Amino acid sequence: MCGIVGYTGFRNAAEVLLDGLRHLEYRGYDSAGIALAGEGPLYVAKTQGKLSALDALLKQNPPPVCGCGIGHTRWATHGAPSDQNSHPHSGRRVTLVHNGIIENYAQLKLFLEKAGRSFSSETDSEVLAQLLDHHYHGDPLEAIRCTLAEVRGSYALAILFEDQPGKIFAARRESPLIVGYGEGEQFVASDIPALLKYTRSYSVLDEGEMAVLENRRVQVFNAFGQPVEKQRLTAEWDMEAAEKGGYPHFMLKEIHEQADALRATVEPRVRGGLPFLDEDGISDELLRRTRQVVLVGCGTAMHAGMVGRQAIESLARIPAHTDIASEFRYRDPLVGPDDLVVIVSQSGETLDTLAALKLAREKGAFTLAVVNVVGSSIARAADAVLYTHAGPEIAVASTKAYSVQLAALYLVALRLALVRRAQSEEAVRGLTEALRGIPALQRPILEECSRVKYLASRYMNSSSLFFMGRQMDYALALEGSLKLKEISYIHSEAYAAGELKHGTISLIEQGTPVVAIATQRHIYEKTLSNVKEARTRGARVLFVCKESAEVPAEVADDVLRLPECDDLLMPLLAILPLQLFAYYMSVLRGCDVDKPRNLAKSVTVE
């Protein structure tokens, strides 16, 4: 959840840390702080609020110029946002920043208090700092090993020891952490964007590993203290991709990048007009013997899985199920050998989703990760990986990740249908070509934002709003509702259109806004009837449909029409106006679009 950055080298560490934190603020913005290791005691500055508050604090009280330090931007878990609860946290000779949750912090705190330690914050992270200081007797790695052996939970740590100038110590379990390599300078961070200004060369720390960073070298050790040789990766993104590029918000930029991202995901996997997944580790033999497909994810990824489930069942004619990762991991799911479990995650670090993957593997299922970040925890833990080439997604509200996840799942559904002979080669070739043509259909929608902005201005003062649709349109309704509520703070709910009359219609009164999605021909009349039921009770309806759809005047107040394409692929078009509607509602209401309250980009805690 939180953002970590560390630097040791020849530059002014404070400036490097602030720059890195700016590129990690999407991971948390309740508070921020830095610690510097120069001559004498460790320097710490931290404050509640966004990074701009820390920047102002440092301008008022300039920090010492030195070449080593760590920084943190926080999404609060233990302890409310405050100056005291901000990171870094310190013991007597140790200062650290922490991402994750220490589950047994209460017992550890009681032990430390009995040993004479006192605490200034409510956080589990300070308990970790004090425990590390308690175990420190001159050997930092031994102290870290002893400390982490007593800890239950997740952590990514960057640590400074007062008597180890110029060195940063790092460790991780379940929470992501990477090290970056430069010439005469080294880095540690939660995510790649923090490093891109300085280097594109990095390694991912594995579970239980520790690292020691000095300006001219990085040493990595396993949990037993043995040296580890790390594979170096090269970031595919550059600095320009991680910047706004002239757009007022990252979210709007990423909405407009969807056509290019979709093409980057689909085109490398099409040969001779047919989808191929062999280079992603997904063999035809695996697909032939697959008994059922289970798609697991959280939030937007789960909604993508709902569309994928319907595409797989419709095309491949085998059972498919969608499950919420946080539910899947705590029951005894009926998966095993010859089952394909598809794990969907933008970051590849979502803790509940990672745990679901591990459970599926324990049960003998084949796991396929659909993720965006190369080398992420989920990518490394899965049996096969289908990377979505979306580039960096910085806005907390996920947009282009959703589209490329859909594209990846369509490719899986089409290949399944082909190798299992559930569809003819001609039919699969036709749908594959239609999928390749989606970016050309997306562009006109993205270029006509003014219509959606106008509609947002008509609905922006709503206190509550409903979305409705059937089948794939219901999955779209869920995602549209999620986008709206997470960035505009308008109460919003989504319902299967046929379920509205089974209770929820009691909430419809004169003027209640309803976004009705009707893009599927075979159930269009059924959805229309449900919309009429809401309209009869006084609902104010925004109707989303295909260009050719006949919409009776008495059904809708406003209509958004979309280009024609195969019903199966309509979610790739229909999601765009829903994302734009949420975006403009947020902007018009004066909300912080890219950093919605209480949310963070990568959810690495339960």
Side-chain angles (χ1 to χ4, degrees):
M1 287 291 215
C2 308
I4 288 174
V5 62
Y7 173 77
T8 181
F10 55 85
R11 305 177 197 267
N12 184 338
E15 293 178 357
V16 176
L17 296 176
L18 282 173
D19 182 70
L21 291 176
R22 287 188 190 98
H23 291 93
L24 292 180
E25 198 173 8
Y26 63 91
R27 299 180 68 91
Y29 31 88
D30 292 334
S31 58
I34 63 171
L36 302 174
E39 295 182 4
L42 297 175
Y43 167 89
V44 175
K46 56 184 183 177
T47 184
Q48 179 183 352
K50 295 183 179 178
L51 191 59
S52 56
L54 176 64
D55 200 15
L57 177 65
L58 295 179
K59 285 177 180 175
Q60 291 174 1
N61 303 286
V65 176
C66 64
C68 182
I70 56 177
H72 190 268
T73 181
R74 181 174 185 247
W75 185 83
T77 51
H78 283 127
S82 69
D83 290 353
Q84 291 78 15
N85 291 334
S86 305
H87 294 224
H89 288 287
S90 301
R92 293 161 188 159
R93 299 155 295 172
V94 175
T95 293
L96 60 76
V97 291
H98 168 225
N99 181 14
I101 289 182
I102 305 304
E103 295 172 357
N104 59 333
Y105 81 98
Q107 299 98 305
L108 295 172
K109 186 174 184 178
L110 184 61
F111 162 76
L112 290 166
E113 285 175 333
K114 289 180 177 177
R117 298 265 171 172
S118 59
F119 294 82
S120 60
S121 77
E122 305 168 274
T123 67
D124 56 337
S125 303
E126 187 187 2
V127 173
L128 196 56
Q130 296 271 23
L131 184 63
L132 181 56
D133 190 81
H134 173 79
H135 284 302
Y136 184 49
H137 303 293
D139 185 338
L141 288 177
E142 181 62 25
I144 294 170
R145 281 197 299 272
C146 290
T147 299
L148 298 183
E150 298 177 7
V151 164
R152 293 198 312 273
S154 60
Y155 51 79
L157 299 170
I159 308 162
L160 299 177
F161 290 84
E162 194 168 88
D163 61 352
Q164 301 285 329
K167 294 184 181 180
I168 300 172
F169 296 81
R172 70 150 294 203
R173 180 180 183 272
E174 293 186 351
S175 294
L177 203 61
I178 62 175
V179 293
Y181 306 100
E183 293 294 329
E185 57 184 350
Q186 315 298 336
F187 307 82
V188 63
S190 299
D191 207 350
I192 294 167
L195 312 181
L196 287 177
K197 184 176 179 179
Y198 308 99
T199 182
R200 294 172 64 189
S201 177
Y202 72 99
S203 294
V204 178
L205 291 184
D206 287 314
E207 290 288 283
E209 287 184 342
M210 300 174 288
V212 182
L213 288 77
E214 300 176 75
N215 60 358
R216 298 196 178 278
R217 66 172 182 169
V218 175
Q219 296 172 282
V220 180
F221 304 89
N222 63 21
F224 304 102
Q226 299 165 327
V228 175
E229 192 70 31
K230 297 298 294 182
Q231 178 188 6
R232 291 200 183 193
L233 305 172
T234 301
E236 297 177 357
W237 314 330
D238 57 20
M239 201 58 202
E240 183 179 355
E243 297 290 351
K244 290 180 185 175
Y247 288 90
H249 299 98
F250 279 112
M251 183 177 177
L252 186 61
K253 173 178 179 277
E254 289 157 12
I255 289 173
H256 280 266
E257 288 174 339
Q258 285 177 99
D260 290 337
L262 194 147
R263 186 178 289 109
T265 297
V266 173
E267 290 299 330
R269 297 178 170 104
V270 176
R271 302 198 295 269
L274 294 172
F276 285 86
L277 303 175
D278 50 318
E279 293 183 3
D280 301 293
I282 310 162
S283 69
D284 286 352
E285 178 55 34
L286 166 73
L287 298 179
R288 286 190 192 96
R289 69 170 187 264
T290 295
R291 185 172 59 103
Q292 67 169 340
V293 180
V294 179
L295 301 106
V296 182
C298 298
T300 289
M302 193 267 292
H303 297 158
M306 292 177 67
V307 175
R309 174 182 66 82
Q310 294 182 60
I312 288 168
E313 288 195 337
S314 174
L315 293 172
R317 309 306 299 159
I318 62 171
H321 313 278
T322 309
D323 216 331
I324 302 169
S326 57
E327 295 293 314
F328 181 89
R329 65 177 295 195
Y330 285 117
R331 59 185 179 83
D332 190 14
L334 297 175
V335 297
D338 295 331
D339 291 335
L340 174 62
V341 177
V342 183
I343 302 293
V344 187
S345 170
Q346 186 279 138
S347 67
E349 301 293 349
T350 310
L351 188 61
D352 285 320
T353 311
L354 178 59
L357 184 155
K358 292 176 179 177
L359 176 61
R361 290 200 67 183
E362 287 172 7
K363 289 180 170 291
F366 187 92
T367 55
L368 166 63
V370 175
V371 299
N372 189 41
V373 180
V374 176
S376 57
S377 296
I378 287 173
R380 287 179 288 121
D383 295 301
V385 187
L386 204 164
Y387 282 115
T388 57
H389 301 297
E393 190 179 66
I394 306 300
V396 168
S398 192
T399 52
K400 64 177 177 176
Y402 177 79
S403 289
V404 293
Q405 287 165 357
L406 290 186
L409 295 176
Y410 281 128
L411 290 171
V412 172
L414 287 165
R415 191 67 196 176
L416 266 167
L418 183 64
V419 303
R420 298 172 69 89
R421 299 184 178 178
Q423 304 290 329
S424 68
E425 182 178 312
E426 181 183 5
V428 172
R429 192 183 300 277
L431 277 170
T432 302
E433 189 59 29
L435 178 60
R436 297 174 74 185
I438 289 293
L441 298 177
Q442 288 179 325
R443 292 193 185 284
I445 301 173
L446 295 170
E447 290 167 359
E448 293 295 328
C449 293
S450 57
R451 168 69 174 159
V452 182
K453 185 175 182 179
Y454 165 71
L455 291 172
S457 72
R458 287 170 52 83
Y459 290 83
M460 62 176 283
N461 292 319
S462 304
S463 59
S464 184
L465 194 145
F466 294 101
F467 286 74
M468 59 187 289
R470 284 175 176 260
Q471 296 187 359
M472 284 190 168
D473 290 335
Y474 171 49
L476 276 169
L478 286 166
E479 179 60 13
S481 176
L482 176 62
K483 289 283 99 58
L484 182 68
K485 72 181 75 172
E486 67 184 340
I487 63 171
S488 75
Y489 318 140
I490 295 173
H491 172 259
S492 173
E493 298 296 337
Y495 295 94
E499 282 295 295
L500 204 65
K501 59 184 175 289
H502 294 291
T504 311
I505 203 167
S506 65
L507 298 175
I508 303 291
E509 56 188 14
Q510 194 65 38
T512 300
V514 174
V515 178
I517 307 165
T519 70
Q520 305 293 301
R521 283 190 180 88
H522 70 291
I523 50 171
Y524 181 76
E525 291 183 355
K526 296 295 183 184
T527 304
L528 212 59
S529 295
N530 299 137
V531 177
K532 289 178 181 177
E533 292 165 0
R535 177 83 168 174
T536 300
R537 274 75 180 177
R540 180 183 176 190
V541 175
L542 169 56
F543 197 74
V544 182
C545 60
K546 288 186 174 182
E547 187 66 48
S548 62
E550 294 184 10
V551 185
E554 69 273 13
V555 167
D557 297 88
D558 301 289
V559 180
L560 269 173
R561 294 185 179 273
L562 301 168
E564 299 287 329
C565 79
D566 191 284
D567 282 8
L568 196 71
L569 303 177
M570 277 305 298
L572 286 167
L573 300 183
I575 191 56
L576 300 183
L578 301 183
Q579 293 170 345
L580 288 167
F581 184 68
Y583 170 78
Y584 285 117
M585 290 277 268
S586 178
V587 170
L588 292 169
R589 289 167 65 90
C591 303
D592 192 337
V593 175
D594 287 336
K595 301 168 191 154
R597 68 188 183 202
N598 302 334
L599 299 177
K601 185 67 178 173
S602 181
V603 184
T604 57
V605 297
E606 290 191 59

